[in-house]
Amino acid sequence: MSTAQILFLIFSAVVVAAAVMVVLSRRIMRAALWLVLALFGVALIFALLDASFFAVVQVLVYVGAIATLLIFAIMLTRGVMDDSKAQLNRGWPFALLVCLGLFGGLVYILSQWNRFNSAAPALPQDAYDLTLFGLALTSPDGYLVAFEAASVLLLAAMVGAIYLALEKRGN
Amino acid sequence: MTFWQDPYAAAVEWLRNLLIGWGLTVEAAQLILYLAGGIVLAGGSLALVIFLIWAERKIIGRVQDRLGPNRVGPWGIFQTFADILKIFTKEYITPNGVDRVPYNLAPVLAVAAVIMIWAVVPFTVTLYGADLSVGLIYVMAVGAIGEMGIVMAGWGSNNKFALLGAFRAVAQMVSYEIPMVIALLIPVMMAGSLSLGAITASQAVWNILIAPLAALIFFITSVAEVGRAPFDLVEAESELVAGFNIEYSGLKFGFFFVGDFLHAFTIAMLFTVFFLGGWRGPFVDQVPILGAVYFFIKTSLVYLVNILMRAALPRFRIDQMMDFNWKYLTPLSLSVLVVTALADKLTLGLSAWVRIPVFLGLNGLLFLAASVMVNRRAINRPRAEVVSRPRPLARPETAVQPETNGGVS
């Protein structure tokens, strides 16, 4: 077994264990911290794949922005910090259904894939060139539509946030 | 490349040959070199903190017409060692009901997040930890880990004042990140790369001449990011009773301060890399090690400005701080970015003697416009008087009078 494989097994064990702990933790704040660990582990797996840009963006966006936002939301919501409440709400069968569906789909797709024992192909020389990535996002032949759609979505979210936060004049 | 021109590269080469000579494979030798480099970098930066604490106390002492530390060793230079010994012997108090893992992990994360930045800083052409192609994003991402440390400290302490302090600190750091990142896009634009090494190498003309406003914005926001005066609401011990770190004692408390001092020096290094040309200077092509000298001279100058600011300026109130960020720095940084991008494309191919005056003039115009707008708004705004609520018991006429008959009715 190569070093990369051993590291991959360690990192994925950390990710899976942390993900299980997200669900099993009784305190929601601890669940959020476990989620941070799980997302960080995913960043390590990206780094293992030599995808340094995605590794760093994973940390920046998920650990830096989303997890911080999540923790703030938890801390500012009344009454979710105590661990006396039930862990499940009424919707749990549906959640279970969706999870099983997703898991089944992933297992099905992986079972169709027959190259588990083949070595990873060598990356081309320009694989680390961020300029190509930037051009792919902004060229019409690349992912321009998806990129702009994401921008519009973020803009809509921002407008919505401002509308919610704006003080109503007159009352 | 002889030893005297670049002792670092020569030493690494010697060590690598020694390890391979001992029968290690090339990969194993490389791994050992990486480990050694990491240990030297982390240990060196922490050792530097000892000196930084002394220098800062001494300089602030002189600014305030005091002597500063002057008892332990010549010029008090060993004062910090005495402080370290004291802090080592202090008791670790763990309050009841803390969440142990986050509580104990937080100080470690606070320091680690700063040391991790050192991994990508190019000290000379050859002396750097790693030249990541995404260096700048890495620096920002590592800052997020520091924020996580503060959240963990605030929440793990099981104290509502620590939690409020963590809110305040993280709100400040998250907010000031926005103009900081926008301002840093300008060096990135000029270099065409996110790598700190490439950004340094591209600065034949220092970026501070091309984008003085972006440099100013980065300087201000980075001071706010560290949480030093005038932005030291993070731990305003004189009025807000500290912040996220109130439940810590001994070395754990000291760790937050080590992280703080090191971070202040680190942002000076980043300023040097992004705006002052990093290791660039005369004769650096022939003798690369001179780059390290230039680098530390420039960094020390920026750090000195940082210290003088800390010594001279009073503290912001939180609403002033947030106003300053969202209503002034963010729009200003956005307009600087747009104007610099346009000017860069329009003057493409012209000589530096034309480009730099154009950039300087545009930056000056923007700064003037921004300050005129801010002043007009500040003058016209109705100003609410900031006083505390009247407290019924604290007024003289409502004070409880001592009874004249000794309480017997």
Side-chain angles (χ1 to χ4, degrees):
Chain A
M1 218 158 35
S2 72
T3 326
Q5 279 172 319
I6 295 170
L7 285 176
F8 173 75
L9 285 180
I10 295 172
F11 293 160
S12 39
V14 167
V15 172
V16 172
V20 170
M21 287 308 291
V22 173
V23 183
L24 294 186
S25 298
R26 287 204 70 89
R27 283 184 162 185
I28 193 158
M29 190 58 207
R30 273 203 192 157
L33 291 179
W34 280 114
L35 181 66
V36 170
L37 183 63
L39 294 169
F40 201 76
V42 174
L44 288 178
I45 290 177
F46 273 129
L48 204 62
L49 289 170
D50 280 340
S52 55
F53 180 75
F54 291 104
V56 174
V57 166
Q58 170 87 13
V59 175
L60 184 70
V61 173
Y62 284 95
V63 178
I66 295 198
T68 311
L69 195 71
L70 200 67
I71 287 171
F72 266 57
I74 291 169
M75 285 175 171
L76 292 175
T77 309
R78 192 172 300 167
V80 294
M81 294 280 274
D82 54 353
D83 47 2
S84 56
K85 292 200 179 115
Q87 276 179 296
L88 299 173
N89 65 10
R90 279 182 311 164
W92 70 270
F94 303 104
L96 188 68
L97 205 66
V98 171
C99 287
L100 283 179
L102 262 178
F103 186 69
L106 282 175
V107 167
Y108 174 74
I109 289 171
L110 283 178
S111 69
Q112 302 289 307
W113 197 63
N114 52 5
R115 294 172 58 200
F116 280 108
N117 288 321
S118 58
L123 288 172
Q125 199 59 47
D126 57 0
Y128 304 107
D129 195 353
L130 283 182
T131 322
L132 291 178
F133 179 69
L135 285 176
L137 281 184
T138 49
S139 85
D141 306 330
Y143 301 91
L144 180 66
V145 176
F147 186 65
E148 290 299 326
S151 312
V152 171
L153 181 69
L154 289 178
L155 184 70
M158 242 156 80
V159 171
I162 291 171
Y163 176 75
L164 286 178
L166 207 64
E167 275 177 49
K168 300 273 188 301
R169 295 271 155 91
N171 55 341
Chain B
M1 202 69 74
T2 67
F3 178 79
W4 293 112
Q5 281 171 346
D6 195 355
Y8 167 74
V12 168
E13 210 45 48
W14 176 79
L15 201 60
R16 188 198 307 274
N17 288 334
L18 183 74
L19 287 172
I20 292 171
W22 284 352
L24 287 161
T25 59
V26 179
E27 287 82 23
Q30 189 62 43
L31 185 69
I32 289 175
L33 282 177
Y34 277 150
L35 279 176
I39 291 168
V40 168
L41 201 62
S45 56
L46 286 178
L48 183 70
V49 171
I50 298 173
F51 172 73
L52 290 180
I53 292 175
W54 170 78
E56 182 146 355
R57 290 179 65 184
K58 200 77 182 166
I59 293 169
I60 289 188
R62 288 304 164 106
V63 170
Q64 296 171 348
D65 207 7
R66 294 182 284 117
L67 283 175
N70 59 358
R71 295 287 143 163
V72 194
W75 311 293
I77 201 163
F78 298 127
Q79 180 65 50
T80 316
F81 289 95
D83 291 345
I84 290 172
L85 285 179
K86 185 193 110 185
I87 218 165
F88 264 114
T89 56
K90 280 198 166 186
E91 185 189 358
Y92 294 118
I93 301 166
T94 305
N96 257 343
V98 299
D99 202 345
R100 274 175 192 274
V101 175
Y103 177 80
N104 289 318
L105 202 56
V108 180
L109 280 185
V111 177
V114 182
I115 295 180
M116 279 167 81
I117 296 179
W118 282 55
V120 293
V121 174
F123 299 101
T124 72
V125 189
T126 48
L127 178 51
Y128 52 79
D131 192 16
L132 284 186
S133 62
V134 286
L136 196 145
I137 311 182
Y138 171 85
V139 169
M140 302 316 298
V142 163
I145 296 175
E147 280 159 28
M148 202 42 85
I150 289 176
V151 168
M152 280 166 135
W155 184 72
S157 296
N158 189 30
N159 178 324
K160 54 175 164 290
F161 297 106
L163 191 56
L164 282 175
F167 272 158
R168 202 167 61 220
V170 174
Q172 174 178 342
M173 291 169 93
V174 169
S175 312
Y176 274 81
E177 242 170 39
I178 292 165
M180 178 192 249
V181 173
I182 296 172
L184 283 185
L185 283 179
I186 291 173
V188 170
M189 213 159 63
M190 294 298 160
S193 168
L194 287 166
S195 137
L196 266 60
I199 289 175
T200 308
S202 75
Q203 292 179 60
V205 178
W206 292 0
N207 274 335
I208 195 166
L209 291 177
I210 294 173
L213 265 187
L216 187 66
I217 292 170
F218 175 71
F219 184 75
I220 294 171
T221 50
S222 61
V223 171
E225 195 83 352
V226 181
R228 309 202 109 195
F231 301 100
D232 58 346
L233 298 129
V234 172
E235 39 96 21
E237 49 294 57
S238 52
E239 56 206 46
L240 298 175
V241 201
F244 60 91
N245 53 11
I246 45 174
E247 290 290 0
Y248 286 85
S249 62
L251 200 57
K252 289 181 204 165
F253 180 73
F255 247 56
F256 284 116
F257 272 82
V258 167
D260 189 47
F261 276 98
L262 193 58
H263 202 176
F265 191 75
T266 309
I267 56 160
M269 291 202 310
L270 290 179
F271 188 88
T272 308
V273 169
F274 291 129
F275 293 103
L276 293 183
W279 41 258
R280 291 183 75 100
F283 305 115
V284 103
D285 293 335
Q286 287 87 41
V287 191
I289 196 65
L290 265 181
V293 178
Y294 295 140
F295 186 86
F296 278 101
I297 290 174
K298 291 173 188 174
T299 306
S300 306
L301 283 176
V302 179
Y303 187 55
L304 182 68
V305 177
N306 196 329
I307 294 176
L308 292 180
M309 225 167 102
R310 185 182 177 197
L313 291 179
R315 185 176 294 140
F316 274 137
R317 229 170 40 215
I318 184 131
D319 59 324
Q320 294 169 333
M321 193 188 72
M322 286 299 174
D323 269 6
F324 181 57
N325 179 52
W326 290 108
K327 299 182 183 166
Y328 187 64
L329 284 183
T330 308
L332 183 63
S333 58
L334 279 170
S335 36
V336 169
L337 179 67
V338 172
V339 166
T340 313
L342 282 177
D344 187 42
K345 279 295 169 211
L346 289 179
T347 62
L348 202 67
L350 297 177
S351 83
W353 295 107
V354 183
R355 276 165 65 93
I356 291 171
V358 167
F359 281 118
L360 281 179
L362 284 173
N363 273 283
L365 278 179
L366 267 178
F367 184 72
L368 267 181
S371 62
V372 165
M373 275 161 74
V374 164
N375 283 338
R376 184 173 295 164
R377 197 177 151 274
I379 290 164
N380 292 342
R381 185 175 58 167
R383 207 171 299 244
E385 197 178 351
V386 181
V387 285
S388 59
R389 271 183 298 129
R391 296 178 192 174
L393 278 179
R395 286 194 312 240
E397 65 270 20
T398 57
V400 180
Q401 297 297 324
E403 291 183 46
T404 46
N405 56 357
V408 183
S409 56

